[in-house]
């Protein structure tokens, strides 16, 4: 998952993330790394500062195609969404 380095992940953050992911999902994340990167970058560009924690908790969501992934977030006011996600990443479950 070296591609995470492009998204400002440190080696220790990558290692911590790897510990939480099953081998099957890890293989999917590796095989679809461009998709995962694009979805992570989308959150980062929205100004979501805890995008790493969101990925660590909801990694399977990052396997959604880019249009589906972005449509989940684009339904909401970007500044309001940014505040809410930065304060409580668990609201992802109700988006």
């Amino acid at each position: 998952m070296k591609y995470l380095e492009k998204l400002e992940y440190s080696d220790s953050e990558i290692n911590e993330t790897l510990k939480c992911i099953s081998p099957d999902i890890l293989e999917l994340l590796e095989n679809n790394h461009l998709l995962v990167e694009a979805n992570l970058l989308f959150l980062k560009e929205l100004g979501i500062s805890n995008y790493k924690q969101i990925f660590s908790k909801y990694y399977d969501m990052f396997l959604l195609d880019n249009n589906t992934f972005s449509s989940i977030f684009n339904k909401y006011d970007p500044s309001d969404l940014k505040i809410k996600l930065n304060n409580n990443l668990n609201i992802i479950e109700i988006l």
Side-chain angles (χ1 to χ4, degrees), residues 3 22-33 36 63:
Y3 63 89
S22 72
D24 294 337
I25 297 294
L26 181 59
E27 182 178 353
L28 285 171
L29 293 171
E30 287 287 356
N31 291 339
N32 296 286
H33 67 91
V36 175
L63 292 167

Side-chain angles (χ1 to χ4, degrees), residues 10 16 18 21 43 55 75:
S10 67
E16 279 302 310
L18 289 173
I21 300 174
L43 285 185
F55 178 64
K75 297 185 275 187

Side-chain angles (χ1 to χ4, degrees), residues 1 4 9 12-22 25 29 36 40 43 50-62 89:
M1 302 228 329
L4 293 176
Y9 273 75
S12 63
E13 288 172 322
I14 293 171
N15 289 333
E16 279 302 310
T17 301
L18 289 173
K19 290 179 188 177
C20 303
I21 300 174
S22 72
I25 297 294
L29 293 171
V36 175
L40 277 164
L43 285 185
N50 58 349
Y51 65 94
K52 294 175 186 177
Q53 291 82 11
I54 292 171
F55 178 64
S56 293
K57 188 165 184 176
Y58 301 103
Y59 48 83
D60 54 332
M61 180 176 147
F62 289 83
L89 65 93

Side-chain angles (χ1 to χ4, degrees), residues 3-9 33-52 54-55 62 66 69-70 73:
Y3 63 89
L4 293 176
E5 290 176 346
K6 296 178 197 171
L7 295 156
E8 300 177 13
Y9 273 75
H33 67 91
L34 294 175
L35 178 63
V36 175
E37 268 183 74
N39 289 336
L40 277 164
L41 188 58
F42 174 81
L43 285 185
K44 186 176 176 196
E45 289 176 347
L46 269 179
I48 309 301
S49 60
N50 58 349
Y51 65 94
K52 294 175 186 177
I54 292 171
F55 178 64
F62 289 83
N66 297 113
F69 186 85
S70 62
F73 301 95

Side-chain angles (χ1 to χ4, degrees), residues 73-85:
F73 301 95
N74 287 335
K75 297 185 275 187
Y76 304 96
D77 174 67
S79 58
D80 186 45
L81 180 66
K82 177 181 157 181
I83 292 166
K84 288 183 174 157
L85 279 173

